[in-house]
Amino acid sequence: MLRAGEVVAFPTETVYGLGADATSEAAVRRIYEIKGRPPSNPLIVHVPDARAGQALAMVWSDQAEALAQRFWPGPLTLVVPRGARIPAVVSAGLPTLALRVPAHPVALRLLQAVDRPLAAPSANRSEHLSPTRAEHVRQGLPEVPLILDGGPCRLGIESTVVSLCTCPPRLLRPGALPLRLLRACLPELQLGPEPGAPAASPGLSPRHYAPRARLLLSAEPAAVDPGPGPVGYLLRTTSPPRGAGRVERLPEDPEGYAADLYAALHRLDEAGVHTVVVESPPEGEAWMAVRDRLGRACSRAP
Ligand code: AMP
Ligand code: MG
């Protein structure tokens, strides 16, 4: 199906991806169409190993090689200069290319079997919650003709995106690869896109990763007036108010929390709550990716 230009959803260790042949412009357009993704938001291309990644880049620096050796397969996406084999539509017209080798046996076997790079954003409608179970894909994108079911995603949050196209390199999106591990290999890393270069991080629109319910963040969820309609609580250390209906509890550590965050929000959406009161996650770098996703899920479209 992938060779024929169809889309196929597949599991990775981060979230489920909606894959298509990255070398086919028509196949890649199907991804944008199905997701309703703005054409300005570029896609990550998945490859089976570092050599396949290098072959798609126009420049493969020592830095790229060192990071690939250290973290691939794994939840790190590297943005490098784009080579000619990948059409511009994949990168929303940018001269760059985002690459990753996923650490999931099904994804790796698929990439090896199909023998083509696969463009694969998260398998959800644009701005909605990312899927961490095959079931989430089936419910969110019923028109996808094939979903490979690899069970629940181990990490549950999107990859960390680093641009190697700037000097020094920049973190474009915090994600599943902890920053302290990345920093140990890349001490010169700067946080956030280059000031005044908005096109460098197009996916970072304020509203993203959002459930249907309205999200309210508070350090003291029990004290919040949630307003009308059914209410859910997403808690970590605090107690719900007395008589609270729907309560989801997440682990206290950032990795455990991230792993179940989207699944918990999907469950709350399923339960039909109108508002979710979320206990604010802690400060500090270890919680940066979780704070980023919750912040985007909270912001309203302008
Ligand atoms: P998704 O696969 O849906 O999690 O989104 C892909 C993420 O990778 C978005 O945040 C994009 O902005 C980012 N991305 C993909 N390609 C590029 C690129 N060429 N330059 C910068 N960021 C990119
Ligand atoms: Mg996404």
Side-chain angles (χ1 to χ4, degrees):
M1 288 174 72
L2 287 165
R3 288 199 185 128
E6 256 300 355
V7 296
V8 171
F10 63 93
T12 79
E13 80 279 32
T14 59
V15 302
Y16 274 75
L18 184 63
D21 179 355
T23 63
S24 159
E25 196 173 318
V28 169
R29 286 198 194 285
R30 282 285 294 148
I31 293 180
Y32 280 94
E33 203 176 281
I34 290 179
K35 281 186 60 100
R37 186 168 174 113
S40 57
N41 192 352
L43 307 177
I44 296 173
V45 170
H46 295 71
V47 287
D49 54 45
R51 295 291 67 79
Q54 178 175 14
L56 300 178
M58 194 168 69
V59 179
W60 189 253
S61 62
D62 292 347
Q63 219 165 33
E65 182 62 21
L67 290 166
Q69 286 301 330
R70 172 73 180 80
F71 295 115
W72 284 356
L76 174 66
T77 295
L78 296 176
V79 177
V80 297
R82 177 166 52 84
R85 206 176 144 220
I86 299 296
V89 61
V90 169
S91 302
L94 295 171
T96 56
L97 173 63
L99 286 169
R100 179 166 108 81
V101 177
H104 192 293
V106 174
L108 287 172
R109 284 183 62 190
L110 177 67
L111 285 163
Q112 284 152 5
V114 75
D115 199 25
R116 309 223 174 139
L118 296 180
S122 50
N124 54 276
R125 294 236 198 266
S126 192
E127 297 195 344
H128 286 216
L129 275 183
S130 297
T132 58
R133 310 270 192 279
E135 191 59 18
H136 298 156
V137 184
R138 200 177 63 77
Q139 282 163 3
L141 295 177
E143 66 270 57
V144 171
L146 180 66
I147 304 167
L148 301 181
D149 187 348
C153 299
R154 183 167 52 89
L155 302 178
I157 193 166
E158 298 82 354
S159 62
T160 300
V161 180
V162 170
S163 174
L164 300 179
C165 294
T166 56
C167 196
R170 290 186 168 268
L171 179 77
L172 298 185
R173 176 176 74 182
L177 182 69
L179 211 49
R180 73 192 148 76
L181 297 183
L182 187 55
R183 280 232 174 85
C185 195
L186 197 63
E188 65 271 46
L189 183 75
Q190 299 288 306
L191 298 191
E194 206 156 25
S201 58
L204 303 182
S205 68
R207 182 170 170 83
H208 214 111
Y209 314 111
R212 287 195 297 270
R214 177 174 71 123
L215 252 61
L216 299 175
L217 237 72
S218 167
E220 268 188 279
V224 169
D225 172 6
V231 184
Y233 288 84
L234 190 59
L235 305 177
R236 201 177 130 261
T237 57
T238 62
S239 304
R242 259 205 298 158
R246 182 79 202 202
V247 179
E248 290 282 345
R249 224 169 235 300
L250 291 175
E252 292 199 22
D253 66 298
E255 282 83 24
Y257 187 103
D260 203 32
L261 171 62
Y262 289 143
L265 289 171
H266 276 288
R267 287 192 292 271
L268 289 163
D269 264 350
E270 280 290 291
V273 303
H274 289 186
T275 304
V276 179
V277 185
V278 182
E279 178 180 338
S280 321
E283 294 299 309
E285 248 179 40
W287 286 88
M288 200 167 152
V290 163
R291 274 201 314 276
D292 173 79
R293 301 306 188 273
L294 283 175
R296 288 175 208 288
C298 279
S299 64
R300 296 274 114 191

